[in-house]
Amino acid sequence: MKKSILFLLIGITSIGHSQSELIGSIKADIIQKEEIGYVLHIPASIKTKKPLLVFLHGDGEKGNDIEKVKIHGPFNYLKTHKLDAYVLAPQCRENQLWNTEIIYQLILKIIKENNIDTNRIYVTGLSSGGWATWDMGFAHPEMFAALVPIASFTDLLREDEACKLKNIPIRMFHGVLDDVVPMNYPVSIYKAVKACGGSITLTLFDDANHNCWTRVYDSPDIYDWLFKQQKNQM
């Protein structure tokens, strides 16, 4: 009798130590709320449709003080000049990266609420804002009439997507002495877009370090070129 009971207990113990595996997958929509501030310059006359220039700042202008986005770029130019266009500058939050989807949603909001010429929407940015400029072009190439990335880098892995940009006129600017973004980044993406037959130019400043954007944004030439670009001419 005792032997039978012992055998039964051993059998139960063995069953309790059995193992199994489950392999599966799950699909889920993750909703992430994000909020960014922005400033919008409205031209003097809005009776007719006007172009929209989107400016994306660098890391030094992140935060909650919207006045920071006016330190460089088009808003600094507007302190002493006039532009017959809407100029939009969102602000990236501190310790965050640019989110191209929220920028896109912001542009749609501005289009809906203002008299925007949707054939003349441009995006430009400096440093990390230049990276976001590239990403906006990759994500929504149908939206933009021109791109102007300055002192920018791009994910070299995205060179496989370079042909998405072949119908967008692009002007790039970079300092030869840049010790923040190495020269191989702009040169590499330039060659990739050019190989697709894209309309792209790369201007190199021999005497400039990372901040080569001041001479670009302080000159009327870049704005004159931008506002001549139209999607329906491509």
Side-chain angles (χ1 to χ4, degrees):
M1 186 68 170
K2 290 182 180 180
K3 291 183 180 180
S4 299
I5 294 174
L6 180 60
F7 178 81
L8 179 60
L9 290 174
I10 292 173
I12 294 174
T13 302
S14 298
I15 294 174
H17 281 81
S18 63
Q19 301 181 51
S20 62
E21 290 183 346
L22 173 63
I23 298 175
S25 63
I26 181 174
K27 291 183 178 181
D29 294 324
I30 306 299
I31 299 175
Q32 180 179 351
K33 292 184 178 180
E34 187 169 338
E35 180 180 355
I36 59 172
Y38 68 88
V39 59
L40 177 68
H41 165 77
I42 300 174
S45 175
I46 56 174
K47 292 181 180 180
T48 58
K49 291 183 179 296
K50 297 296 172 66
L52 170 64
L53 174 58
V54 182
F55 168 65
L56 305 176
H57 62 73
D59 282 354
E61 293 72 59
K62 290 181 178 181
N64 298 316
D65 180 4
I66 196 63
E67 292 300 313
K68 284 186 174 182
V69 304
K70 301 178 183 179
I71 295 175
H72 304 291
F75 273 91
N76 185 55
Y77 182 83
L78 282 166
K79 294 174 183 177
T80 53
H81 299 78
K82 293 182 179 180
L83 291 175
D84 191 25
Y86 293 89
V87 183
L88 172 65
Q91 186 177 35
C92 186
R93 294 297 188 189
E94 198 72 48
N95 301 320
Q96 292 187 9
L97 299 175
W98 281 111
N99 183 320
T100 52
E101 182 56 30
I102 197 169
I103 298 171
Y104 177 68
Q105 294 301 324
L106 174 58
I107 294 173
L108 294 181
K109 167 184 166 65
I110 298 302
I111 291 173
K112 183 178 180 180
E113 297 175 354
N114 298 274
N115 199 14
I116 305 293
D117 181 352
T118 55
N119 282 320
R120 293 197 294 163
I121 299 177
Y122 319 100
V123 61
T124 182
L126 60 92
S127 194
S128 63
W131 166 79
T133 297
W134 287 112
D135 263 26
M136 289 300 297
F138 285 127
H140 303 284
E142 76 290 342
M143 172 172 277
F144 303 110
L147 303 178
V148 180
I150 304 175
S152 67
F153 62 95
T154 184
D155 186 345
L156 297 180
L157 296 176
R158 301 205 71 163
E159 289 180 12
D160 291 341
E161 302 179 69
C163 291
K164 289 183 178 180
L165 307 177
K166 66 179 181 180
N167 294 322
I168 307 176
I170 302 171
R171 290 188 68 179
M172 303 170 59
F173 299 88
H174 208 89
V176 173
L177 305 178
D178 194 327
D179 57 0
V180 177
V181 181
M183 282 288 298
N184 63 301
Y185 283 94
V187 170
S188 184
I189 190 64
Y190 166 80
K191 290 180 178 179
V193 175
K194 198 72 175 177
C196 295
S199 175
I200 185 171
T201 63
L202 171 59
T203 300
L204 300 175
F205 299 111
D206 292 339
D207 59 343
N209 200 307
H210 190 48
N211 181 355
C212 67
W213 52 78
T214 297
R215 67 182 73 185
V216 178
Y217 288 128
D218 284 0
S219 170
D221 294 345
I222 193 63
Y223 306 103
D224 291 342
W225 177 82
L226 273 169
F227 299 145
K228 291 177 183 176
Q229 310 307 312
Q230 296 190 48
K231 285 196 302 183
N232 57 14
Q233 291 182 345
M234 290 183 275

